[in-house]
Amino acid sequence: MLRSGRYARIPLVTAIPLVATLVLAPAPGSFTESSGKDEMPAAWKESSRLMVEEQIAARGVKDLRVLETMRETPRHLFVPDALRAYAYEDRPLRIGSRQTISQPYIVAAMTELLEPEPDDVILEIGTGSGYQAAVLSRLVKTVISVEILPELARGAREALRAAHADNVEVLTGDGYRGVPERAPFAGIIVTAAPPEVPPPLVEQLAVGARLVIPVGEGFQQLLVLERTETGLSRRSVLPVRFVPMTGEAQNR
Ligand SMILES: C[S@@+](CC[C@H](N)C(=O)[O-])C[C@H]1O[C@@H](n2cnc3c(N)ncnc32)[C@H](O)[C@@H]1O
């Protein structure tokens, strides 16, 4: 259910987002540049504004909080040095270990679908670069993010520190089972695609919470599941393409 009060009148342009899976790893970059959480460095401001106007709002993301957050989150801190010139282009980029930072449009669309609120504790599966977690960190109380590859978890922690995203906890491990000891969550966002929805993640949703997740093999569907007082609703939103969820998801 969309909360209409938070949305501007921006025309909906339909588009099919495909998050390309890029497989060649560049040399890992350093994530050391510092940036205040509330101010985007001037050099990147205009690129970020254009990315949001021309790629994200123009393609139908309407939540003003999400648009503002996308404008202000320093994506250049989450991409390797060699790719920084492309940080505000609306495309996925390689981050090493055969993984990618997602396309900004899909990060914004998934964030909007989650309907985050300021007091929420959100679980993310698939930290990658840490960018999606950084976006969420500006909208909610706490983000717990799980990454299966230790080297990416380390890089993400470093980038999140540089971005002053102090309310993000990055855990290293297989996110298939979620984080039951911290459940229930006000929302769960998954950025790697399992063949089926992992039942433990559904169990860790609070009443009224949403699970936003790409599901399938090869091309996938982005699903939104919502726990209601009486059960679970499920709808398919968009065709997408994410990297596969590894670990236990592959043994099912
Ligand atoms: C498309 S990338 C995520 C992009 C990321 N959200 C960002 O903002 O950069 C998918 C990530 O999910 C991770 N991943 C895959 N399977 C996982 C699992 N079972 N548990 C936790 N992370 C997993 C991958 O290692 C990869 O870093």
Side-chain angles (χ1 to χ4, degrees):
M1 180 72 76
L2 298 179
R3 281 167 264 183
S4 54
R6 290 161 44 197
Y7 293 82
R9 288 174 190 277
I10 296 169
L12 179 84
V13 177
T14 51
I16 297 178
L18 297 179
V19 181
T21 305
L22 303 176
V23 292
L24 294 173
S30 74
F31 298 97
T32 48
E33 184 182 321
S34 178
S35 155
K37 188 163 186 168
D38 298 322
E39 61 181 79
M40 168 78 76
W44 300 105
K45 229 177 190 162
E46 181 61 4
S47 311
S48 179
R49 188 187 69 75
L50 288 173
M51 175 189 83
V52 170
E53 262 180 36
E54 294 177 359
Q55 303 294 338
I56 298 176
R59 293 171 73 181
V61 175
K62 297 184 181 63
D63 187 321
L64 294 178
R65 283 184 68 220
V66 173
L67 294 175
E68 188 187 350
T69 301
M70 293 298 299
R71 238 184 334 261
E72 291 175 355
T73 305
R75 191 172 188 251
H76 61 279
L77 295 181
F78 295 88
V79 303
D81 287 350
L83 298 177
R84 275 197 172 177
Y86 311 108
Y88 295 95
E89 290 187 2
D90 190 34
R91 55 166 159 141
L93 295 169
R94 296 168 287 182
I95 56 170
S97 305
R98 301 168 71 91
Q99 302 300 326
T100 55
I101 176 173
S102 301
Q103 176 191 10
Y105 166 73
I106 201 76
V107 170
M110 289 175 74
T111 304
E112 182 176 59
L113 287 166
L114 198 65
E115 295 195 356
E117 294 290 347
D119 284 337
D120 286 353
V121 178
I122 299 292
L123 175 65
E124 179 193 28
I125 307 301
T127 316
S129 68
Y131 175 64
Q132 171 76 75
V135 168
L136 284 168
S137 77
R138 293 167 171 259
L139 295 164
V140 304
K141 188 169 79 183
T142 304
V143 181
I144 297 169
S145 186
V146 184
E147 171 56 51
I148 201 164
L149 298 175
E151 68 275 20
L152 289 185
R154 273 195 300 277
R157 282 189 201 103
E158 212 177 300
L160 287 160
R161 244 193 321 276
H164 303 283
D166 303 327
N167 55 343
V168 181
E169 289 175 49
V170 177
L171 309 177
T172 305
D174 186 342
Y176 181 88
R177 294 203 168 266
V179 185
E181 62 277 19
R182 303 288 289 275
F185 296 100
I188 302 178
I189 190 165
V190 182
T191 61
E196 305 287 343
V197 177
L201 297 184
V202 176
E203 285 156 22
Q204 289 167 40
L205 286 173
V207 172
R210 291 173 160 205
L211 168 61
V212 180
I213 181 170
V215 172
E217 286 164 298
F219 284 87
Q220 308 123 10
Q221 283 293 318
L222 186 65
L223 304 182
V224 178
L225 286 80
E226 184 167 352
R227 178 167 296 293
T228 64
E229 294 284 356
T230 51
L232 197 68
S233 70
R234 174 178 168 134
R235 68 189 164 97
S236 179
V237 183
L238 289 171
V240 287
R241 191 157 184 218
F242 277 81
V243 295
M245 182 181 279
T246 55
E248 192 170 341
Q250 298 293 317
N251 303 328
R252 306 236 138 217

